[in-house]
């Protein structure tokens, strides 16, 4: 029967709620085998004999642990022995009594194990706070122990070994252990049957009432919701006096579980359950658990770590290298030579990069090696996105937004290892280098498996200020100091960080008191070095510069892409780094170079944006050249300065203008306080201080670099306006003023929104540099030291007293971030959490924005040694804390209720229908995965990593070389790589699957490709590019917080309209004459939401034509929701995000990544069809086909989009000019402008034209023809004064000529902003000869022919006589030879008897005469002797 206090149909879930279950029938069939009573347990330390197991039908007592998801279906409990009949079933009372009889096995309540004893067991337990779901990371705690009404205490135990893990091993962070309970079929198989016997023997029974997890609160067993949670008592700390007293009293403390707890236990007897219902409850538990974990941010604090390793130091632990080597390495060729039967071409040259990226991750309080190993075993793979920043000099390097997505490869460190597979490991991937890029961003993400690790972005930049001396790396600009002494930072004020935005690989910061040292970082101050500079003495120049005191402090520092600038006292130095990927090494400096040696420089002013292929810096002078400034230009590391204005000082020009207008006398003293360069207008804004006989005044002066003229734009008031009770005040000249003088100190100009700020003990802003608005929120008692702009709509203001203020661009309200109540709350929470980024004593060093987030470089005291750290300033969190600090009490009945006012006009804001981003962001992206290794462990070796290096190098080489004028049949840089190997990919796959691939690696051709179909991430891009008439559309959807009232029947008429009016959208256009914005509102009253279709469109007015990516017009559009500024926030896993202000930078002009290409495929096809023939050269070249001179030539061109992969026919108008040529490739030359005109112009009268056309359309001056795809073709002329006239043939074949053709649409095509320019070679054969040369050739040819005919005839006529004469000659010769032979033989035989004596005498005489030297006489004697 049912006990009092129990409720049938309910059980307690692990999510603090109750779940309905069916009430089982008492006569239902029991499970087979004997059932153990409730109180029966196996004592601690008692081991089950080997081979003996718990019978499958036994039910565990309540004190014994049940594994997660383990249960028995109703009526299907099994045992290994026989089946127990129904009549032997025990009632609940009998089971309870038997359990009480065996209670001697249980440990008494007062003899619970200590906290350290339970921890030594190595069990894997994770505590979850009830109602909050916060998981304590890495803590070992006791299972839940609860007492239900009218029942004994139920002690829940966990298994010590889950899923085959060894004892004491903790579950990796982020791993959820939700059981996947299997149903039981009619065959009677249970979950226990599927577990191995070894796992059953390794179970450990333990009872731990509680263990306190780090930083978590223990709550009682009752369900806590709502206001009850605030008044409940927390559990005592284990081992404390309170805990021991409460244990002796029998008081119990439990914990609730969400995901990692064991299986759910019902409140009463363990009844058989319906399988379908159990599966449903398990699914509901998983859904609720995942929802709770998502909502409560229940993740471990893990972060990625990235380290550079040299190519030859892979596998060395605790090694970190600096990025100074910039040349490819030739170390992978030997590896590629072994890759036979692979898709690569063995004839190609494969190189590698000098560095690898070693990737790992760490979590708070846990060793990194264990985490990496556990993450790998769970399937974690880091995915890395590398972004290459284009060079400043776009004249030499192509402007592109290049990114490459890579996958890191697991690598096992060599060395002894007790584990079977892996002990120490990391992930490695090549660190690529791209010509023209020295700034690289590395973003590491997870593949979704294993622990949750937030994305993290690193700056891995080249450091051109390092050199290698033997085995050490040293700085070229000074000596590195390794001791961060407190006096370097304590009591020193913060200073601005100045650098060229997104282009500076190395950042420097001075301001260290009385030290000629700077902080230098190539990772945006994730890491840094303190360098003592090797510069001249600080006393140089003190004799001719009016300065009272001198020190060694470096006051101003500016870093550009290649050069560093510093100012010490009144001296300026620069140092150019060694960047082989940007320019020649000869441009680099060997030491600091002192510039402007004869000038006294009082301040350096930065130029944050580059333009026209160069970077700039400005130096303000004092002394003899007061009123002048020196304008510095840096191009490819070469520095040059020019003194401006050219026509006289600013003071003289202002005085002359004032006198001409009759506005005042001559200026007594004048000084330039600040300068701002506006690159788009080629003007410089100057903040000028003027002292006359009466008072001091300040003016804003504009100086034009083109006309060398100055103009006074605005005269600042002498006193601060009286704007009490206002947020802002328009300065129109009729306002009242206070007695506080207005003291300006500097200016700041935002190129994107044309917003100019003048700051000092006030803040003025202007959109047109003439009309100004005073921001009254900034107190006049403070003075601004510098501004920091994110160029995304945020401005941080730093005062002389180190206060931090915040301003949203386009708004007028200012927020104080530090000191503030929000900062106090945030810092207190961080100190309670013992954060390593906060301390009781701090000194700010600088502030800067990175990826639109504000960071602070701060020196922390209070540790053993002072530390310099880079930390995030949580602006949104501080504003939210400040907003929630305002509350009021409302009387509800007899009780006051604390309420907070939500000032945000909406409850939800989302972006919908965003287009694919690549067409607007112009981002080119590649994918490169590591090759597959044929190893059972899956770990890569140094050889496979070298293959990865070579493949990645070749992929980027193909990208850089994909600029051929002749378009490929397939518009993709990787097409040529695999075009001859695609047909054999099945064969390569066969080798891989049979472990036959050479070198133990398999190269997948699909792993190296270009991506054209990126999808939007439901957020606006960082910047978009618009061509002529281009538009960008997206939807903005908001849900009203008053939406519930709209759906009620009692809602008043018109309430929906009122809610819609509150949700309104406005636009702030930086250049309304260039761009326009529309918002089409669509209200959905039923869904309590309002949706706006927002369209941004170019007006076709602000740009002429330009080369792709060159000279773009920077502007911006801000989309604002009324009443949302500073009040609306969205909570995400990556922190709070401000909503309601959407800043979208826009670049108007020809977008990067577009080009014009010669469509050779369609041109050949069209000309073949039109001319009914096609004759190629005798020696054809597949890369450059030939065209016949006498056939009309119809060229066609393509517009290729390197970003989206689109390739379409160019339908615009263009001009075609022959700008060079030659009969051979070696003899090509470029023509002069005068020659180009004569060879191509229809107005030429010198008979020099190379070609003509029937098209009559020409330019306005008639100088050149205007062609289009619909115009007539080209007819080749090659008139007598043209270079192709009378071409001498190089062989017996017809003459050939190579024309260098320029195609441009500049000035003739109004359909685009792009100035397409294409230069390609055109091979023409079959050129005609000149009349004279042809006649001479005919004459010579005829003469030769006639001569040959005459010779032939003569030969035919004289041949018989010649034969006869020859035969006669031969007969006579034979006769002579025969007769002489006959007479000689006869005379020799008749005198044979006398020959002996005669020969003896003759021989004697010959010998004697030869001895005497008379050889002629001896021969005569021989002749006479023979005749006789």
């Amino acid at each position: 029967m049912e006990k009092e206090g129990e409720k049938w149909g309910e059980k307690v879930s692990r999510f603090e709620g109750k779940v309905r279950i069916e009430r089982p029938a008492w006569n239902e069939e029991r499970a087979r085998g004997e059932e153990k009573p409730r109180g029966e347990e196996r004592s601690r330390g008692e081991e089950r004999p080997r081979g003996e197991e718990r019978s499958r039908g036994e039910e565990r007592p309540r004190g014994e642990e049940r594994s997660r998801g383990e249960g028995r279906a109703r009526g299907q409990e099994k045992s290994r022995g026989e089946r127990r009949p129904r009549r032997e079933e025990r009632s609940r009372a009998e089971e309870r009594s038997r359990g009480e009889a065996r209670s001697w096995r249980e440990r008494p309540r007062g003899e619970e194990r200590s906290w350290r004893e339970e921890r030594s067991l190595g069990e894997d337990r994770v505590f979850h706070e009830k109602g909050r779901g916060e998981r304590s990371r890495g803590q070992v705690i006791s299972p839940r122990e609860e007492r239900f009404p009218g029942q004994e205490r139920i002690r829940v135990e966990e298994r010590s070994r889950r899923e085959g893990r060894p004892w004491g091993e903790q579950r990796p962070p982020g791993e959820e252990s939700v059981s996947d309970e299997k149903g039981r079929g009619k065959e009677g198989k249970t979950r226990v049957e599927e577990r191995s016997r070894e796992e059953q023997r390794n179970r450990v029974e333990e009872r731990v009432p509680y263990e306190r997890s780090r930083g978590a609160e223990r709550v009682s067993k009752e369900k806590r919701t709502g206001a009850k949670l605030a008044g409940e008592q927390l559990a005592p700390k284990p081992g404390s006096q309170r805990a021991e007293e409460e244990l002796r009293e029998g008081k119990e403390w439990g914990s609730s579980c969400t995901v990692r707890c064991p299986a759910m236990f019902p409140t009463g007897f363990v009844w058989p359950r319906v399988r379908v219902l159990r599966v449903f409850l398990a699914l509901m538990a998983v859904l609720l658990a995942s929802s709770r974990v998502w909502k409560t941010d229940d993740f471990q604090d893990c972060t990625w770590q990235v380290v550079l390793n040299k190519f030859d130091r892979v596998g060395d632990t605790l090694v970190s290298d600096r990025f100074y080597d910039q040349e490819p390495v030739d170390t992978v060729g030997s590896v590629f030579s072994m890759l036979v039967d692979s898709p690569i071409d063995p004839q190609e040259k494969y190189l590698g990069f000098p560095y690898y990226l070693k990737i790992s991750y760490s979590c708070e309080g846990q060793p990194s090696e264990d985490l990496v190993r556990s993450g790998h075993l769970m399937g974690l793979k880091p995915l890395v996105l590398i972004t290459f920043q284009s060079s400043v000099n776009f004249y030499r390097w192509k402007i592109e937004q290049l990114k490459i997505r890579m996958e890191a490869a697991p690598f096992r460190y060599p060395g002894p290892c007790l584990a079977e597979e892996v002990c120490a490991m990391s992930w490695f991937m090549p660190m690529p280098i791209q010509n023209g890029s020295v700034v690289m961003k590395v973003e590491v993400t997870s593949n979704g498996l294993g622990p949750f690790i937030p994305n993290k972005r690193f700056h891995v930049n080249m450091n051109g200020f390092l050199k290698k001396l033997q085995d050490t790396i040293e700085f070229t600009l000074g000596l590195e100091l390794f001791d961060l002494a407190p006096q370097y930072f304590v009591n020193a004020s913060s200073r601005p960080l100045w650098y060229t935005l997104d282009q500076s690989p190395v950042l420097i910061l001075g301001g260290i008191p009385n030290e000629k040292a700077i902080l230098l970082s190539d990772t945006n101050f994730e890491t840094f070095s303190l360098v003592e500079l090797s510069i001249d003495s600080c006393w140089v120049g003190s004799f001719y510069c009016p300065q009272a005191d001198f020190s060694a402090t470096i006051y101003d520092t500016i870093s550009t892409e290649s050069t560093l600038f510093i100012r010490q006292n009144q001296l300026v130095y620069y140092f150019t780094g060694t960047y082989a990927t940007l320019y020649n090494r000869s441009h680099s400096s060997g030491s600091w170079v002192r510039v402007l040696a004869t000038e006294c420089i009082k301040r350096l002013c930065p130029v944050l944006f580059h333009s026209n292929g160069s970077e700039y810096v400005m130096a303000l002078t004092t002394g003899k050249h007061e009123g002048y400034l020196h304008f510095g230009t840096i191009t490819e590391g070469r520095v040059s300065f020019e003194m401006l204005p050219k026509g006289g000082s600013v003071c003289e020009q202002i005085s002359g203008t004032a006198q001409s207008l009759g506005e005042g006398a001559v200026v007594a003293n004048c000084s330039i306080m600040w300068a701002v360069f506006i690159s788009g207008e080629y003007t410089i804004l100057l903040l000028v201080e003027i002292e006359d006989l009466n008072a001091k005044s300040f003016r804003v002066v504009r100086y034009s670099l083109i006309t060398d003229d100055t103009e006074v734009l605005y005269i600042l008031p002498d006193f601060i306006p009286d704007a009490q009770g206002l947020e802002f005040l328009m300065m129109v000249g009729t306002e009242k003023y206070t007695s506080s003088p207005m003291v300006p100190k500097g200016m700041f100009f935002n190129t994107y929104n044309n917003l100019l700020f003048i700051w000092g003990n006030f803040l003025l802003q202007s959109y047109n540099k003439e009309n100004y608005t005073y921001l009254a929120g900034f107190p006049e008692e403070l003075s601004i030291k510098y501004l920091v702009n994110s160029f995304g709509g945020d401005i941080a203001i730093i005062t002389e007293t180190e206060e931090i203020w915040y301003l949203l661009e386009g708004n007028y309200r200012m927020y104080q971030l530090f000191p503030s109540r929000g900062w106090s709350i945030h810092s207190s929470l961080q100190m309670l959490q013992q954060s390593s980024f906060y301390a009781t004593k701090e000194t700010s060093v600088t502030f800067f924005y990175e990826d639109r987030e504000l960071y602070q470089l701060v020196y922390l005291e209070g540790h053993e040694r002072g530390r310099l750290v880079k930390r995030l300033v949580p602006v949104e969190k501080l504003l939210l804390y400040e907003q929630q600090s305002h509350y009021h009490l409302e009387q509800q009945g007899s009780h006051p209720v604390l309420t907070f006012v939500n000032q945000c006009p909406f409850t939800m804001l989302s972006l919908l229908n965003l287009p694919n981003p690549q067409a607007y962001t112009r981002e080119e992206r590649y994918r490169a995965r590591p090759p597959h290794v044929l190893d059972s462990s899956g770990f890569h070796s140094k050889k496979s990593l070298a293959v990865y290096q070579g493949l990645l190098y070749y992929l980027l080489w193909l990208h850089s070389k994909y600029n051929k004028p002749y378009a490929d049949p397939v518009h993709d840089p990787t097409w040529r790589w695999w075009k001859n190997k695609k047909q054999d990919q099945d064969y390569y796959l066969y080798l891989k699957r049979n472990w036959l691939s050479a070198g133990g690696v398999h190269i997948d051709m699909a792993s190296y490709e270009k991506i054209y179909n990126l999808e939007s991430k439901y957020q606006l891009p960082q910047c978009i590019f618009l061509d002529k008439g281009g538009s960008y559309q997206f939807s903005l959807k908001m849900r009203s917080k008053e939406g519930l009232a709209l759906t009620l029947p009692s809602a008043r008429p018109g309430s929906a309209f009122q809610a819609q009016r509150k949700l309104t959208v406005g636009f702030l256009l930086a250049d309304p004459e260039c761009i326009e914005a529309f918002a089409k509102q669509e209200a959905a009253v039923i869904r309590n939401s309002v949706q706006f279709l927002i369209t941004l469109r170019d007006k076709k007015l602000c740009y002429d034509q330009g080369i792709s990516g060159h000279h773009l017009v920077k502007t911006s559009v801000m989309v604002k929701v009324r009443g949302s500024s500073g009040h609306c926030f969205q909570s995400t896993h990556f922190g709070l995000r401000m909503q309601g202000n959407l800043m979208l930078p826009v670049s108007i002009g020809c977008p990067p990544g577009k080009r014009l290409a010669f469509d050779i495929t369609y041109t050949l096809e069209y000309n073949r069809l039109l001319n009914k023939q096609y004759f190629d050269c005798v020696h054809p070249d597949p890369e450059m086909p030939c065209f016949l001179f006498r056939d009309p030539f119809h060229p066609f061109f393509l517009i290729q989009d390197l970003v989206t992969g689109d390739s379409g026919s160019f339908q615009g108008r263009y001009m075609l000019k022959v700008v060079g040529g030659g009969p051979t490739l070696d003899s090509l030359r470029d023509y002069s402008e005068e020659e180009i005109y004569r060879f191509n112009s229809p107005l030429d009268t010198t008979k020099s034209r190379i070609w003509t056309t029937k098209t009559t359309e020409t330019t306005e001056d008639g100088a050149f023809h205007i062609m289009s795809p619909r115009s007539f073709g080209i007819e080749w002329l090659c008139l007598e004064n043209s270079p192709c006239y009378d071409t001498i043939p190089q062989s017996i074949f017809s003459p050939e000529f190579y024309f260098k053709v320029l195609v441009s649409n500049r000035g003739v095509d109004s359909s685009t902003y792009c100035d397409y320019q294409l230069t390609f070679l055109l091979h023409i054969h079959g050129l005609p000869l000149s009349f004279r040369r042809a006649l001479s050739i005919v004459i010579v040819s005829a003469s030769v022919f006639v001569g040959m005919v005459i010779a032939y005839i003569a030969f035919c006529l004289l041949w018989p006589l010649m034969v006869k004469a020859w035969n006669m000659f031969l007969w006579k010769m034979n006769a002579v030879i025969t007769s002489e032979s006959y007479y000689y033989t006869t005379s020799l035989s008749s005198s044979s008897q006398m020959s002996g004596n005669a020969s003896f005498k003759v021989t004697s005489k010959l010998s004697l005469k030869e001895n005497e030297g008379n050889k002629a006489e001896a021969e005569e004697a021989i002749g006479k002797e023979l005749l006789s």
Side-chain angles (χ1 to χ4, degrees), residues 321-326 355 461-469 472-478 480 506 520 522 529 531 575 577-579 585:
D321 294 299
R322 287 174 169 173
F323 204 160
Y324 72 94
D325 197 354
Q326 307 168 24
Y355 295 99
N461 303 330
M462 293 184 186
N463 195 333
F465 304 93
L466 296 172
K467 61 181 178 181
K468 186 175 183 180
L469 294 178
T472 61
I473 304 299
E474 297 181 358
F475 284 97
T476 58
L477 42 76
E480 184 176 6
V506 174
L520 185 146
D522 54 14
S529 300
V531 182
F575 197 106
T578 303
Y579 289 103
R585 289 180 178 269

Side-chain angles (χ1 to χ4, degrees), residues 1055-1115:
S1055 58
F1057 178 72
Q1058 295 294 331
Q1060 295 173 20
R1061 290 188 58 185
K1062 292 182 179 180
L1063 295 178
T1064 58
V1065 174
F1067 301 98
L1068 183 59
L1069 304 178
D1071 296 285
E1073 68 279 3
C1074 299
I1075 195 170
E1076 57 186 354
F1078 306 96
K1080 181 180 179 182
Q1081 179 177 343
E1082 298 176 356
V1085 180
I1086 297 178
R1087 297 187 179 180
N1088 317 321
S1089 61
V1090 178
Q1091 183 168 323
F1092 296 91
L1093 177 62
I1094 298 176
T1095 304
L1096 311 178
R1097 182 179 296 120
D1098 172 60
K1099 285 187 174 183
K1100 308 180 182 180
L1101 298 175
C1102 289
Y1103 197 80
D1104 184 14
Q1105 274 185 310
I1107 301 175
S1108 177
H1110 292 200
H1111 307 292
L1112 300 174
V1113 175
K1114 294 182 175 66
T1115 183

Side-chain angles (χ1 to χ4, degrees), residues 572-604:
V572 176
Y573 301 86
Y574 75 86
F575 197 106
T576 301
T578 303
Y579 289 103
T581 59
L582 293 180
Y583 47 76
N584 197 302
R585 289 180 178 269
S586 61
H587 297 183
S588 59
S589 302
S591 60
W592 286 96
V593 179
R594 184 181 174 189
V595 68
L596 303 175
T598 60
E599 300 291 338
C600 300
I601 306 301
K602 63 179 179 181
R603 176 175 287 118
L604 292 180

Side-chain angles (χ1 to χ4, degrees), residues 15-35:
F15 303 106
E16 307 142 8
K18 295 184 177 180
V19 182
R20 302 286 303 178
I21 62 173
E22 292 187 6
R23 178 172 180 173
W26 283 100
N27 57 355
E28 196 169 348
E29 180 180 352
R30 290 282 186 184
R32 301 175 187 175
E34 184 178 355
E35 179 177 309

Side-chain angles (χ1 to χ4, degrees), residues 284-395:
M284 289 296 296
V286 172
L287 291 176
L288 292 174
S290 63
S291 174
R292 172 162 302 185
V293 170
W294 182 262
K295 292 181 179 179
T296 57
D297 195 19
D298 192 12
F299 297 105
Q300 281 192 303
D301 188 12
C302 299
T303 182
W304 293 107
Q305 295 176 344
V306 169
V307 172
L308 269 180
N309 279 165
K310 289 282 289 183
F311 187 93
D312 53 352
R313 300 176 70 176
V314 173
D316 297 344
T317 58
L318 304 178
V319 172
S320 176
D321 294 299
R322 287 174 169 173
F323 204 160
Y324 72 94
D325 197 354
Q326 307 168 24
E327 299 290 342
V329 292
D330 189 9
T331 55
V332 302
S334 59
V335 179
F336 276 84
S337 62
M338 300 186 302
L339 300 182
V340 295
D341 283 341
S342 62
I344 65 172
D345 186 358
Q347 303 299 326
E348 294 290 345
K349 180 69 173 179
Y350 288 89
L351 299 176
F353 300 106
Y355 295 99
Y356 284 97
L357 275 181
K358 182 176 72 174
I359 303 174
S360 59
Y361 73 96
S362 63
C363 300
E364 186 177 356
Q366 299 189 40
S368 179
E369 288 188 0
D370 298 345
L371 293 171
V372 172
R373 180 170 57 247
S374 62
H376 171 69
L377 296 177
M378 288 187 288
L380 175 64
K381 288 184 179 180
L383 303 179
V384 181
L385 180 65
I386 298 181
T387 303
F388 298 94
Q389 184 66 41
S390 297
S391 174
V392 168
N393 187 9
F394 53 72
Y395 295 108

Side-chain angles (χ1 to χ4, degrees), residues 74 100 251 312 329 367 586 759 1063 1193 1340:
R74 184 171 55 190
E100 291 173 357
K251 188 173 181 179
D312 53 352
V329 292
S586 61
W759 46 266
L1063 295 178
F1193 176 64
V1340 172

Side-chain angles (χ1 to χ4, degrees), residues 531-590:
V531 182
E532 184 180 12
L533 305 182
S534 54
I535 58 177
D536 302 334
S537 173
C538 61
W539 297 102
V540 176
S542 61
F543 299 103
Y544 58 86
C545 288
Q547 186 165 336
D549 55 344
F550 293 85
S551 68
T553 306
I554 306 298
Y555 292 102
D556 297 333
T557 58
I558 300 175
S559 58
T560 65
E561 184 182 48
S562 60
T563 308
L564 305 179
F565 290 87
I566 63 170
R567 180 182 68 87
Q568 184 192 45
N569 298 319
Q570 296 170 335
L571 309 178
V572 176
Y573 301 86
Y574 75 86
F575 197 106
T576 301
T578 303
Y579 289 103
T581 59
L582 293 180
Y583 47 76
N584 197 302
R585 289 180 178 269
S586 61
H587 297 183
S588 59
S589 302

